[in-house]
Amino acid sequence: MGKVHLLSPRRQDHDRRGWLRGAPPPPLVRVLPFCLIAGVCAATLASDEPLDIGFLLGAIPPLAVLSYGPLMTAVLGGAVVAVLNIPAFQLNHPGNTDLLTISFVSVLSVFVAYVRSRRDAQLDLERTVAEAAQRAVVPELPERVGPVRCVGLYRAAQRGTLVGGDFFDVREGPHGVRAVMGDVQGHGLSAVATVASLLGAFREAVLDQPDLESVAARLDRRLEVDSASSRYAELFATAVLLEFAPDARSVRMVSCGHPAPVLLRGRQATEIELAAWTPLGLGLSDGGPHAGLTLRLEPGHSLFLASDGVSEARDSSGTFYPLTDRLAALADDDPAVLAGRVWADLVRYCPAVADDVTMLVLTPASPGVG
């Protein structure tokens, strides 16, 4: 089984923003200054008459700024000036205007490249710190927690972030293996603090709460306390909690307004009919959630959990993504590949996914498998 896949800011920038919005330039842009110099020189040498195309070389220093630092930009600028002064190319006609203009542009481009390289270094440092902080909030899942194998996928909606408004975790405690998946109000960096607070409360509750209802009540109380000191009028989150038996042959589930898990039996996918209580943060701790559902698990069964970013994605006609139907077609003997397959299929179905997307596949380990 695999681990949770958190797409890094750099990879997200490259995949979703393109080089004009911060990703590294494609190879064509990097070689363009050299191609332009070679093309101009070849054209002048092939012509019997002088060609007034020296102005084209003025584009080389600004093009270099897109791909290179100040040193390489200075080298290319110097090469342009040198080419203009080689008599065989006859490019410095009708006078010194081209030479002076390109010399000025080259010096200015070196300065711009220096400023850009300093800013890029600062941004890289800030991204590294942000990535470390966000990974501390939602660390990678182990391949196995007790008798349960885990694999997940997390894609934050906000560009350049690892963590958004979705959260999940799988922990082993004195009362068995417990898992949670949820979705807090909002998404992006503004929701990270709430996610961190809920995950902290869950990890504590795994250790000392005797049942899932008590865990849900702990999370609800945590949100109520946070909401009282928040600038927002109200904080809330949906969540589904699971507790596996010691042998992972049964699982108990409690839903707080979150989409129900899907049971996978080979290539058969069935949405579990799980009664949902009110979302967390709306006073659930006063009355407690509805009694949970206990489900028997057989060898080869898996549970697929997803955020509403999956089920509420729409195609160009406005039709929701048919998760259960697609799961039946995408299921594989190896559950580790399922989340990746669903993500690829979701992007084909809805290229402009605008919400956080989270998936979690939980599978009882076969007896004797470490």
Side-chain angles (χ1 to χ4, degrees):
M1 300 293 289
K3 296 184 288 187
V4 55
H5 301 285
L6 294 171
L7 301 186
S8 69
R10 293 183 181 85
R11 180 173 178 182
Q12 287 193 38
D13 289 346
H14 183 273
D15 292 344
R16 301 167 63 191
R17 295 196 300 173
W19 71 276
L20 291 178
R21 297 184 180 181
L28 177 62
V29 176
R30 296 180 63 86
V31 302
L32 191 56
F34 301 97
C35 293
L36 189 54
I37 290 180
V40 169
C41 293
T44 56
L45 292 176
S47 176
D48 296 332
E49 300 294 330
L51 299 178
D52 190 15
I53 59 174
F55 68 93
L56 293 175
L57 297 178
I60 291 176
L63 286 174
V65 173
L66 296 175
S67 304
Y68 301 104
L71 179 59
M72 193 61 188
T73 301
V75 170
L76 287 170
V80 169
V81 173
V83 168
L84 285 173
N85 283 284
I86 296 176
F89 296 128
Q90 303 183 65
L91 288 172
N92 198 26
H93 296 286
N96 292 326
T97 302
D98 288 346
L99 179 60
L100 294 175
T101 300
I102 292 178
S103 297
F104 173 76
V105 171
S106 297
V107 172
L108 184 61
S109 296
V110 170
F111 174 73
V112 172
Y114 173 77
V115 173
R116 182 188 62 79
S117 63
R118 293 294 298 270
R119 289 185 176 179
D120 286 350
Q122 181 63 29
L123 286 175
D124 285 341
L125 176 61
E126 293 176 357
R127 286 172 179 169
T128 300
V129 173
E131 182 176 342
Q134 293 178 74
R135 287 193 182 278
V137 174
V138 182
E140 289 190 348
L141 286 177
E143 295 183 3
R144 176 168 172 169
V145 178
V148 180
R149 291 189 169 186
C150 317
V151 63
L153 182 145
Y154 198 126
R155 180 71 179 243
Q158 184 167 318
R159 291 169 178 166
T161 63
L162 289 174
V163 178
D166 290 353
F167 62 95
F168 63 84
D169 201 3
V170 183
R171 296 276 166 161
E172 185 174 20
H175 304 285
V177 174
R178 289 172 172 172
V180 63
M181 173 176 282
D183 183 3
V184 308
Q185 176 190 24
H187 56 76
L189 293 176
S190 62
V192 173
T194 305
V195 168
S197 181
L198 282 173
L199 285 175
F202 171 76
R203 290 160 186 168
E204 289 184 1
V206 165
L207 299 177
D208 54 33
Q209 295 301 315
D211 52 56
L212 282 182
E213 289 80 2
S214 300
V215 175
R218 173 73 66 85
L219 299 183
D220 181 71
R221 185 177 63 183
R222 178 72 270 166
L223 268 189
E224 285 188 286
V225 172
D226 291 348
S227 182
S229 59
S230 172
R231 61 177 178 172
Y232 300 104
E234 184 177 63
L235 292 176
F236 66 89
T238 63
V240 59
L241 297 102
L242 299 87
E243 180 181 277
F244 288 86
D247 60 359
R249 289 296 172 241
S250 66
V251 60
R252 181 171 171 77
M253 294 171 282
V254 168
S255 173
C256 300
H258 197 79
V262 176
L263 176 64
L264 296 172
R265 293 172 285 189
R267 290 189 173 273
Q268 182 180 359
T270 305
E271 185 174 350
I272 299 170
E273 296 183 1
L274 180 61
W277 191 246
T278 56
L280 301 171
L282 302 181
L284 178 150
S285 58
D286 295 335
H290 290 302
L293 172 69
T294 299
L295 182 70
R296 182 69 181 173
L297 297 176
E298 301 295 338
H301 286 187
S302 294
L303 292 172
F304 182 90
L305 292 80
S307 64
D308 56 11
V310 178
S311 57
E312 294 183 2
R314 303 180 186 223
D315 63 8
S316 57
S317 66
T319 304
F320 288 111
Y321 181 74
L323 175 59
T324 304
D325 295 338
R326 297 287 182 133
L327 279 175
L330 297 170
D332 188 88
D333 292 337
D334 181 8
V337 304
L338 181 58
R341 285 186 173 186
V342 174
W343 169 248
D345 186 61
L346 181 68
V347 172
R348 288 192 296 267
Y349 188 88
C350 176
V353 179
D355 200 358
D356 299 324
V357 170
T358 310
M359 306 176 206
L360 184 62
V361 183
L362 303 174
T363 306
S366 300
V369 177

